[in-house]
């Protein structure tokens, strides 16, 4: 059952609310329309292109679950966005969409990947180049988090960390662990995350997304990596939830993603945001994969306002709780808090 409560919040308010986005996978944030434009271009030069139209494959009426969702990337979107041009085009489109949605600080995350003539390092260079050259970038300072895919080997994970260290000066602020939660043995990543930490990078981990990735052993192993933030935190035993609060680890909660992909049971009203919102911890509402789940960050704030009866004042506070756990440093925090104070007046 979804709760519905009274609130003075509307869509115009959540659009104008200064928001920080901390958990957005670059490839998952590309809209079906943008992918369609790339697909059309590819079709022009290769009429036999074996990939279907994104507007059909990712149409709004599609439903997802953990089994159908994760293969989308390796088997489809990566194949479509494999050229230099498509990587630049799609990254610019993602930045523009976040900006238009009133996001005033962005941490994008992406997995270094190589494709047609683009090495992993060149891929990172292309994404950072888009961020540097983005028109209106003053309105949306953007940092990068490099993701390690759970299917990686220990040495592939180390390669990601080495890239993150190399590009720290250009705005890489952290390292993430993501990908199909039914795959991989997370213990092999210990050395990579230890090195990342030693080099001053922040750590965020996808945590307890599905029952198979939520054994006590796995969760304890991940907490030993010393994460600064955790994503999703769905199947977390209450005792561990208190430990997470004690350690002041920030939480990235992706409500529409969790509900639409059936990672949580029930609707928005049953989402664990309802439990965490009244605890002492930093929470960031996040979109995860806007291109697939179709819910911009302004809509995530609207959803919680309507479902949990949060007022404008409470949403401003909630946005401030996300600011607490950004990786971009104290100066950014102060700028964002000042924006929120100004909005309150
Ligand atoms: C339920 N939410 C999620 N949980 C875990 N991993 C996710 C995810 N959503 C996306 N990814 C992972 O992010 C990568 C695609 O973006 P980038 O190529 O890195 O930009 C893929 O590895 C995908 O599995």
């Amino acid at each position: 059952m979804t709760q519905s409560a009274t609130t003075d919040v509307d869509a115009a308010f959540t659009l104008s609310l200064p928001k920080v986005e901390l958990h957005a996978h670059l490839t998952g944030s590309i809209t079906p329309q943008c992918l369609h434009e790339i697909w059309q271009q590819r079709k022009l030069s290769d009429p036999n292109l074996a990939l279907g139209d994104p507007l059909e494959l990712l149409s709004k009426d599609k439903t997802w679950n953990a089994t159908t969702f994760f293969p989308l990337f390796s088997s489809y979107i990566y194949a479509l966005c494999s050229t230099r041009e498509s990587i630049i085009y799609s990254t610019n489109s993602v930045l523009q969409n976040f900006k238009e949605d009133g996001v005033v600080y962005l941490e994008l995350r992406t997995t270094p990947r190589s494709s047609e003539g683009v090495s992993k390092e060149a891929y990172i260079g292309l994404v950072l180049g888009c961020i540097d050259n983005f028109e209106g970038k003053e309105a949306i300072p953007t940092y990068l988090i490099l993701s390690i895919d759970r299917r990686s080997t220990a040495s592939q994970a180390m390669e990601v960390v080495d890239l993150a260290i190399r590009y720290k000066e250009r705005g890489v602020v952290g390292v993430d662990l993501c990908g199909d939660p039914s795959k991989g043995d997370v213990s092999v990543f210990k050395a990579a995350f230890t090195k990342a930490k030693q080099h001053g990078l922040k750590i965020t981990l996808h945590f307890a997304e599905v029952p198979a990735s939520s054994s006590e052993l796995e969760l304890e192993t991940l907490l030993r990596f010393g994460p600064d933030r955790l994503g999703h935190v769905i199947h977390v035993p209450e005792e561990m939830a208190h430990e997470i609060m004690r350690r002041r680890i920030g939480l990235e909660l992706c409500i529409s993603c969790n509900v639409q992909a059936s990672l949580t049971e029930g609707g928005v009203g049953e989402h664990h945001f309802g439990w965490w919102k009244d605890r002492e911890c930093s929470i960031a509402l996040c979109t995860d994969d806007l291109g697939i789940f179709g819910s911009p960050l302004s809509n995530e704030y609207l959803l919680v306002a309507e479902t949990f009866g949060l007022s404008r004042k409470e949403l401003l506070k909630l946005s401030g709780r996300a600011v607490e756990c950004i990786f971009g440093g104290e100066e950014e925090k102060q700028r964002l808090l000042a924006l929120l104070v100004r909005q309150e007046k």
Side-chain angles (χ1 to χ4, degrees), residues 17 20 49 226 271:
L17 178 72
V20 313
L49 184 73
H271 192 273

Side-chain angles (χ1 to χ4, degrees), residues 145-164:
I145 293 171
L146 297 192
S147 297
I148 295 169
D149 190 302
R150 287 176 64 108
R151 292 169 299 184
S152 308
T153 61
S155 73
Q156 286 167 332
M158 197 57 96
E159 193 187 349
V160 174
V161 169
D162 287 335
L163 280 171

